[in-house]
């Protein structure tokens, strides 16, 4: 069934779909490589083997997938890939649901608020439920904007909890209250909270309109309810690396468990961060040394996703026991 991978193999073309607020379907949460269908017109089982997605799969296998070279989502060291452009519905294990760009804060690296002002479209959760059988998916990933600021998203979370469909939610963590925390603890496998910095001052600078202490208090609220309800929820901290906060990476790694996170992962602003590191080799070398020192002092580094740090040259590829791309 498998063969040696071509140079542009993307597993998302075979295992995932993303639904945007207009009910358009893509294979990737970055809205790549293009629209593969429309849930308001076709069913998902038709879309996943439609001509468009099969064309992109063929492009991927032949080494011609146009979005591959700049992609920082996937582990490009993957050595096997399918030898068919056809998949069964049961093989599509992940669905990203983008409810809209509405958000309660304005992060410096994010254009969601601007997009929402221009196009304030929100995905209708009832239409979505009528068009998709969610029992087929291992991972139901809810995102925005800030999904907790979107009423349709909160209704959808309630639906998932009622039907015992486990989900993953991406959030900035600011709007978590007791009611929301209970739903997340009872219904989610994971919550990924974008702290994006390691100190209160930098957090306020990057996540404009947020409150570092409030977010950490909300993380503790989740932990308290997790203990009360014997939940298996994993609380993941995320740092999307920006130029202003780049020197806080070592501190974020060192302190993540103190923030209340079980695991951490990273993203980075592709338009600025790689170029900044290339233009500032002294800062890059300093970060490499600091990160290495922090890791050497840690007893367990298996809860850290190093994929993006490796891509930036801040962690070496031969670092033992590293985790690559768990989300």
């Amino acid at each position: 069934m498998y063969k040696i991978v071509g140079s542009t193999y993307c597993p998302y073309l075979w295992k995932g779909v993303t639904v945007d607020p207009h009910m358009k379907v893509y294979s990737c949460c970055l809205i790549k490589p293009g629209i593969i269908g429309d849930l308001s017109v076709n069913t998902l089982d038709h879309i996943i083997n439609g001509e468009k997605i099969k064309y992109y799969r063929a492009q991927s296998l032949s080494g011609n997938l146009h979005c591959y070279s700049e992609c920082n989502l996937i582990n490009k060291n993957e050595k096997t890939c399918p030898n068919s452009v056809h998949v069964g519905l049961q093989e599509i294990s992940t669905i990203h649901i983008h409810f809209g760009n509405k958000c309660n804060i304005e992060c410096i690296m994010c254009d969601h608020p601007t997009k929402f002002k221009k196009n304030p479209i929100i995905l209708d959760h009832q239409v979505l439920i009528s068009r998709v059988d969610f029992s087929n998916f291992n991972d139901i990933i809810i995102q925005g904007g800030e999904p907790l600021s979107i009423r349709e998203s909160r209704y959808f979370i309630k639906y998932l909890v009622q039907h015992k469909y486990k989900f993953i939610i991406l959030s900035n963590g600011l709007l978590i209250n007791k009611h929301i925390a209970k739903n997340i603890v009872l219904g989610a496998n994971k919550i990924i909270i974008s702290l994006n910095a390691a100190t209160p001052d930098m957090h306020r600078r990057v996540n404009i309109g947020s409150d570092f202490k409030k977010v950490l208090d909300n993380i503790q609220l989740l932990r308290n309810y997790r203990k009360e309800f014997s939940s298996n929820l994993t609380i993941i901290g995320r740092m999307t690396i920006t130029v202003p906060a780049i020197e806080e990476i070592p501190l974020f790694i060192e302190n993540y468990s103190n923030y209340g996170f079980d695991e951490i992962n990273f993203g980075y602003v592709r338009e600025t961060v790689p170029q900044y590191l290339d233009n500032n080799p002294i800062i890059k070398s300093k970060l490499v040394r600091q990160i290495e020192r922090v890791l050497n002092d840690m007893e367990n580094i298996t809860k850290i996703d190093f994929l993006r740090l490796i891509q930036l040259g801040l962690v070496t590829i031969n670092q033992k026991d590293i985790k690559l791309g768990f989300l």
Side-chain angles (χ1 to χ4, degrees):
M1 181 179 179
Y2 294 94
K3 64 179 181 179
I4 299 299
V5 66
S7 61
T8 61
Y9 168 56
C10 172
Y12 291 107
L13 288 164
W14 280 263
K15 73 174 187 178
V17 292
T18 292
V19 182
D20 78 1
H22 301 273
M23 299 292 285
K24 299 295 189 294
V25 182
Y26 301 78
S27 64
C28 170
C29 62
L30 294 179
I31 315 300
K32 302 288 185 179
I35 296 172
I36 61 173
D38 187 334
L39 275 176
S40 64
V41 177
N42 293 117
T43 60
L44 191 59
D45 57 346
H46 175 84
I47 291 171
I48 63 168
N49 284 302
E51 292 305 312
K52 201 67 175 180
I53 185 64
K54 288 196 289 187
Y55 168 78
Y56 287 131
R57 289 176 187 145
Q59 291 284 295
S60 179
L61 293 176
S62 64
N64 295 309
L65 187 64
H66 65 85
C67 54
Y68 181 88
S69 62
E70 296 183 357
C71 181
N72 68 345
L73 288 180
I74 60 177
N75 176 12
K76 295 181 180 179
N77 293 314
E78 179 65 54
K79 299 300 182 184
T80 59
C81 68
N83 57 13
S84 172
V85 297
H86 187 279
V87 300
L89 184 60
Q90 70 280 1
E91 297 175 69
I92 304 296
S93 60
T94 301
I95 181 168
H96 283 83
I97 304 167
H98 178 200
F99 272 93
N101 290 307
K102 182 181 179 182
C103 192
N104 58 315
I105 64 174
E106 296 187 9
C107 298
I108 61 172
M109 66 290 196
C110 179
D111 61 356
H112 285 315
T114 300
K115 287 182 177 178
F116 186 71
K117 289 177 183 177
K118 293 180 179 178
N119 190 12
I121 301 298
I122 299 296
L123 180 62
D124 187 323
H125 82 286
Q126 291 182 324
V127 176
L128 179 69
I129 290 168
S130 71
R131 302 296 291 174
V132 179
D133 179 1
F134 289 97
S135 65
N136 288 322
F137 297 99
N138 295 327
D139 293 323
I140 302 168
I141 303 172
I142 302 169
Q143 61 189 74
E146 169 51 52
L148 297 181
S149 72
I150 300 172
R151 183 176 59 181
E152 289 290 328
S153 173
R154 296 194 301 270
Y155 286 160
F156 181 65
I157 289 171
K158 183 178 179 181
Y159 164 83
L160 294 177
V161 172
Q162 289 174 340
H163 289 79
K164 301 186 185 305
Y165 295 144
K166 290 295 183 178
F167 60 91
I168 299 169
I169 182 168
L170 282 63
S171 173
N172 59 48
L174 192 61
L175 297 177
I176 297 171
N177 55 31
K178 290 182 179 180
H179 174 72
I180 290 173
K182 286 181 181 178
N183 274 337
I184 290 172
V185 164
L186 292 173
N189 287 321
K190 300 175 183 177
I191 179 170
I192 299 94
I193 295 178
S194 298
L195 200 61
N196 296 331
T199 63
D201 287 344
M202 186 57 69
H203 175 80
R204 283 192 296 268
R205 184 176 173 185
V206 176
N207 286 20
I208 299 171
S210 187
D211 182 315
F212 192 80
K213 183 180 183 303
K214 175 63 174 172
V215 174
L216 296 195
D217 287 345
N218 291 344
I219 293 170
Q220 188 57 50
L221 181 63
L222 289 170
R223 295 181 68 87
N224 292 342
Y225 279 128
R226 179 173 68 178
K227 182 177 180 180
E228 179 179 343
F229 294 107
S230 300
S231 165
N232 293 321
L233 174 72
T234 300
I235 304 170
I236 302 172
R238 182 172 180 84
M239 182 177 182
T240 296
I241 302 165
T242 59
V243 170
I246 197 167
E247 295 190 56
E248 292 202 348
I249 296 171
L251 189 60
F252 185 78
I253 296 172
E254 183 177 16
N255 286 339
Y256 80 85
S257 61
N258 295 329
Y259 303 144
F261 296 130
D262 304 309
E263 303 177 356
I264 54 172
N265 65 27
F266 295 87
Y268 59 85
V269 182
R270 288 178 291 176
E271 294 79 11
T272 56
V273 170
Q275 183 178 9
Y276 176 82
L277 289 172
D278 289 343
N279 292 339
N280 293 275
I282 294 176
I283 293 176
K284 183 175 182 178
S285 296
K286 176 185 173 183
L287 281 171
V288 169
R289 293 193 302 271
Q290 289 177 332
I291 292 170
E292 182 178 10
R293 185 161 56 247
V294 169
L295 295 179
N296 286 338
D297 289 339
M298 297 178 74
E299 293 183 2
N300 182 4
I301 62 172
T302 61
K303 302 300 184 180
I304 304 171
D305 179 350
F306 289 97
L307 179 62
R308 277 52 176 271
L309 297 184
I310 291 172
Q311 292 171 350
L312 292 171
L314 298 176
V315 173
T316 56
I317 192 70
N318 60 353
Q319 174 71 50
K320 66 177 181 179
D321 298 325
I322 61 175
K323 184 184 284 283
L324 294 176
F326 54 72
L327 189 69

